[in-house]
Amino acid sequence: MPRYVGMSRYVGMSRYVGMSRYVGMSRYSDHEAFIRYLRLEEALRLAHRPRYAYSDGLRLQSIEDAMMTAFAAKKYALPHLLEQCFSYLEANVNAKNVCQIYEFAQSVDAPLLIFLCLNIMDRQTFHVLTSPSFPMVLPSTAELIASRSYLNLYSEFTVYTSLVQWGEDECKRRKIPDDPENVRQVLEAHLPYIRFLAMSPEEFAKGPAKGGLLTLDECFAIFMNLAIPDCVPVPPGISPEYNKRSAPPEYFICTRYRGLSYSPPGRPLRVFGIRFSTVEKNIFLVGAAFPVRLDNNYYAVRQPKYTGVVRIARRLVDGKIERQESEVSFQLSKGKDTAFTLRKPYYCRRGEKYEVELQAHALISDDVIVPLLRNKKREDVVEGVTFQFIPFTRVKLSSILDITEFSELHFYC
């Protein structure tokens, strides 16, 4: 029997045979080996010796080990141990295991891991879809990837072939024949996201048209629209998108306002901020920008650099306020607003109100210009996310400082 080195050894394993459905063990690895793992006498013995939970000798050798240890750490409220597990997974996530880690991150509510996984799915899509583990992902994970607006792919044909392979494997897991009719039923939620009209006629002819997944009427309509776009109506349940998906930008930009007619500020600048909430989706806030620029008459070779602290406040449902802060740096330049990037993305949940404040460590007053006119929006819609804004003020400081709202929010979703 092998000796396991992860802290998952101390979990009450006898109660967690069903935990495999959370980690996805039964889909991704040898189930019998996992059951043997649960029955280890050493794990049961260490379950009653909590001093091991605080040992500095944690040695994780696989992502499965890290995930099982993280489940135990979360159950027994051991944040330091949980953070070590997350750090291991963050360092070892790649295109081959990203789906497995994403499903784990969803089950334990690990936002940073989710952010990393989404970025890999969007930017290394071909390797994700063609990895040996993709046919074993959960239906929700397969649907998530198929529904993404941005995917780094040469052809939509890869999405089709990977989903069909996943559908056939899912039929086997459900113990039903993997014929086209059953595969179509399994892919009922996924099919509307496949962009058949973004394929070339040759790709469609050699794959979907012969695969039996689509009806003759659907194939005919797609062929007609591939020949002459929009010449016939697209059948229900078929994506009307003609555009190929491509790699996403580094982040998306939500605009609060655009500055006009720049001039030197009347008072020193030090405090910047914004208040907002989102409606449809949760987002990852990665940075922001504020409308402070170098004066056009500034001729020094070096651009001024500043540091400051960003404070993010989240109002909870019960009225309490959760706060987080981190250090940032930013650099002023001519002709564009000043932007900064958070050290770690901040997870913003839809429907909750957030306040983001940047306080510079030094006053900003010399050789800068700010907009006199600011046509502020009450809301902005970007990538299907509606941002609703609330005026940002600091009454006690407004008499001595120019309190400036952020002009942009930088986010990912």
Side-chain angles (χ1 to χ4, degrees), residues 7 10 49-57 76-81 84:
M7 294 306 297
Y10 72 85
R49 298 174 65 179
R51 67 187 181 89
Y52 280 89
Y54 301 95
S55 171
D56 292 330
Y76 292 104
L78 302 170
H80 178 66
L81 180 60
Q84 290 185 64

Side-chain angles (χ1 to χ4, degrees), residues 7-277:
M7 294 306 297
S8 51
R9 296 174 300 190
Y10 72 85
V11 189
M13 291 294 186
S14 59
R15 297 177 55 198
Y16 281 85
V17 174
M19 198 192 307
S20 60
R21 67 188 180 92
Y22 296 109
V23 187
M25 289 289 196
S26 59
R27 284 176 172 261
Y28 294 98
S29 60
D30 183 0
H31 189 63
E32 292 184 1
F34 179 60
I35 296 300
R36 290 197 302 271
Y37 180 86
L38 295 180
R39 292 174 177 170
L40 279 175
E41 181 180 354
E42 181 184 23
L44 294 174
R45 179 171 58 85
L46 293 179
H48 304 290
R49 298 174 65 179
R51 67 187 181 89
Y52 280 89
Y54 301 95
S55 171
D56 292 330
L58 177 66
R59 292 175 295 146
L60 299 171
Q61 293 185 340
S62 69
I63 62 169
E64 288 82 7
D65 195 18
M67 289 188 291
M68 291 301 299
T69 306
F71 272 123
K74 191 172 181 69
K75 173 178 171 59
Y76 292 104
L78 302 170
H80 178 66
L81 180 60
L82 185 63
E83 187 61 34
Q84 290 185 64
C85 296
F86 286 169
S87 296
Y88 179 89
L89 293 171
E90 291 163 12
N92 290 278
V93 61
N94 57 50
K96 293 182 179 180
N97 60 31
V98 63
C99 295
Q100 185 180 6
I101 292 179
Y102 171 80
E103 291 165 5
F104 160 79
Q106 286 281 70
S107 68
V108 297
D109 191 22
L112 182 57
L113 259 181
I114 294 173
F115 174 80
L116 294 174
C117 290
L118 290 177
N119 270 271
I120 291 175
M121 290 175 180
D122 293 347
R123 301 173 198 282
Q124 301 180 37
T125 314
F126 178 82
H127 299 290
V128 173
L129 293 178
T130 57
S131 68
S133 63
F134 180 76
M136 296 178 280
V137 303
L138 295 174
S140 58
T141 306
E143 183 179 354
L144 168 78
I145 297 176
S147 66
R148 302 291 287 173
S149 299
Y150 292 89
L151 293 175
N152 190 12
L153 286 168
Y154 174 74
S155 170
E156 192 75 14
F157 187 72
T158 305
V159 178
Y160 165 78
T161 55
S162 299
L163 285 177
V164 169
Q165 178 63 56
W166 175 85
E168 291 172 350
D169 281 38
E170 185 67 12
C171 286
K172 295 173 184 176
R173 285 188 286 270
R174 298 183 186 185
K175 295 180 170 42
I176 59 177
D178 57 347
D179 55 58
E181 183 178 353
N182 286 331
V183 173
R184 167 118 189 198
Q185 186 176 358
V186 167
L187 292 175
E188 182 180 2
H190 309 72
L191 195 64
Y193 299 114
I194 302 176
R195 300 185 181 186
F196 294 107
L197 296 175
M199 298 181 188
S200 68
E202 293 78 13
E203 288 174 332
F204 184 77
K206 73 179 182 181
K210 289 183 177 180
L213 198 65
L214 302 175
T215 66
L216 289 176
D217 289 341
E218 289 169 338
C219 289
F220 176 77
I222 293 172
F223 269 126
M224 291 291 289
N225 282 292
L226 286 173
I228 306 174
D230 299 322
C231 67
V232 297
V234 177
I238 301 297
S239 173
E241 288 286 342
Y242 287 89
N243 296 325
K244 292 182 179 180
R245 286 183 269 202
S246 59
E250 182 182 357
Y251 52 76
F252 304 108
I253 299 175
C254 164
T255 304
R256 172 67 161 125
Y257 61 88
R258 294 295 184 193
L260 300 172
S261 185
Y262 282 77
S263 67
R267 285 166 292 183
L269 302 164
R270 190 170 191 175
V271 178
F272 312 87
I274 197 168
R275 290 175 180 163
F276 72 95
S277 63

